[in-house]
Amino acid sequence: YKLQVTSYKKWPPDLHLIGKDIIKFHSIYWPAMLLAYFDGDESKLPNKIFVHGFFTINGQKMSKTLGNVIDPNDLVNKYGVDAARWLILSQFSFGADGDIEGVKFKEKYNADLANGIGNLIARISALCLKQITDWEKFWTAAEKSYKLQVTSYKFHETLMDNLQLYDALKQIMRQVKSTDEYLTLNQPWKLEKDKNQEKIVKILAQASASILSIADMLKPFLPETSQKIKQHINIKEKKIKSAQHLFPKK
């Protein structure tokens, strides 16, 4: 009885996620049963029903006979929980039929996580520790820049609300790339910190704010990584520490 009461308090769900092979039952019969149970109260129906497709492994249907089943535990053991989640969700548009290419997991891990997100965070944290001397101005500028990232984050929220997870991940990688290009263009490591501190502060504050925005967008997908990023560039406590090996290369 206690379990039933608890479940009732959490109903209705914001999202009802189903496979396309059971769409008829969950879109017609199940809502009808709910309406009968709740005396016609439509507010007790799921707020949204999302139907996902099927996926294959390297072009073939998953089968124990073929031995092509991907065990999530194996992925977690090899890459970690956050990385395993990224590798699956970034394969194809969520909701559509898609093919998972297991042979490309290592390549994608290194490209997106080790050389992409991980390398960028390590690069920025190292540059800040090496080049910043006026920390008061840096944190003021970083906080201001971080607040201006709200436009980018709102677009990300819209993608998430529409369950466009694949597009949300692509947006994150676009921001990673653009931040990396911003550093390459401005080359703060070539500036003399005694003579160009104001310019260095401006460049690295903007880059750090972008990283914090990326951490926010990563949170639904890579919660542990998101938290680690905010520990390495801690705008609340005004502390920065080296962020080496966030995603060790495989």
Side-chain angles (χ1 to χ4, degrees):
Y1 173 73
K2 288 182 179 179
L3 289 174
Q4 287 180 336
V5 171
T6 302
S7 298
Y8 182 81
K9 286 181 179 179
K10 293 179 179 179
W11 196 267
D14 291 322
L15 173 67
H16 188 41
L17 183 65
I18 60 173
K20 68 178 185 179
D21 54 334
I22 53 175
I23 186 173
K24 184 176 181 179
F25 177 85
H26 284 276
S27 297
I28 299 175
Y29 303 132
W30 174 237
M33 283 189 261
L34 289 174
L35 287 173
Y37 182 80
F38 289 111
D39 297 324
D41 186 353
E42 293 185 9
S43 68
K44 294 298 190 293
L45 296 177
N47 295 328
K48 183 186 294 185
I49 297 176
F50 188 89
V51 182
H52 65 78
F54 299 143
F55 61 83
T56 54
I57 305 295
N58 300 320
Q60 294 180 306
K61 184 179 179 181
M62 278 201 301
S63 166
K64 290 183 179 179
T65 304
L66 293 174
N68 64 345
V69 176
I70 294 177
D71 188 339
N73 293 310
D74 293 339
L75 281 180
V76 169
N77 290 335
K78 186 172 183 179
Y79 297 105
V81 177
D82 275 10
R85 194 181 294 114
W86 177 279
L87 292 174
I88 292 294
L89 291 173
S90 63
Q91 290 277 335
F92 52 83
S93 296
F94 184 58
D97 288 343
D99 186 59
I100 292 179
E101 298 184 76
V103 293
K104 291 189 176 180
F105 280 153
K106 180 178 178 180
E107 177 185 332
K108 191 161 188 61
Y109 170 90
N110 285 326
D112 290 357
L113 302 179
N115 297 329
I117 295 170
N119 183 62
L120 180 63
I121 296 162
R123 190 181 183 192
I124 290 174
S125 61
L127 283 169
C128 287
L129 292 171
K130 182 180 179 181
Q131 293 291 81
I132 299 293
T133 57
D134 194 337
W135 287 102
E136 185 176 349
K137 283 187 178 180
F138 169 78
W139 287 117
T140 299
E143 188 171 7
K144 183 178 179 180
S145 296
Y146 180 43
K147 289 179 180 178
L148 293 175
Q149 297 283 332
V150 66
T151 302
S152 175
Y153 186 69
K154 281 187 175 180
F155 176 64
H156 175 78
E157 282 188 317
T158 299
L159 293 175
M160 294 297 290
D161 287 343
N162 293 328
L163 297 174
Q164 295 174 265
L165 307 186
Y166 180 76
D167 297 292
L169 293 181
K170 286 176 65 177
Q171 186 205 357
I172 292 171
M173 290 311 300
R174 280 195 295 268
Q175 186 156 329
V176 168
K177 184 179 179 181
S178 65
T179 305
D180 197 49
E181 290 174 345
Y182 174 76
L183 286 173
T184 301
L185 178 65
N186 288 279
Q187 300 181 319
W189 55 88
K190 288 188 176 181
L191 300 174
E192 294 185 43
K193 56 186 176 182
D194 296 330
K195 297 180 181 179
N196 300 283
Q197 187 61 199
E198 186 174 344
K199 186 174 182 179
I200 291 171
V201 162
K202 181 180 178 181
I203 296 168
L204 294 180
Q206 175 63 34
S208 297
S210 182
I211 279 292
L212 293 174
S213 176
I214 289 169
D216 289 335
M217 292 187 286
L218 282 173
K219 190 174 181 179
F221 305 102
L222 282 64
E224 292 180 11
T225 301
S226 175
Q227 186 177 10
K228 286 178 182 178
I229 293 172
K230 293 205 168 187
Q231 289 172 347
H232 287 297
I233 303 178
N234 194 328
I235 201 167
K236 290 183 178 179
E237 297 182 11
K238 295 180 170 56
K239 293 179 180 179
I240 284 186
K241 62 179 181 179
S242 177
Q244 295 292 332
H245 310 302
L246 193 61
F247 290 105
K249 288 185 179 181
K250 300 293 184 182

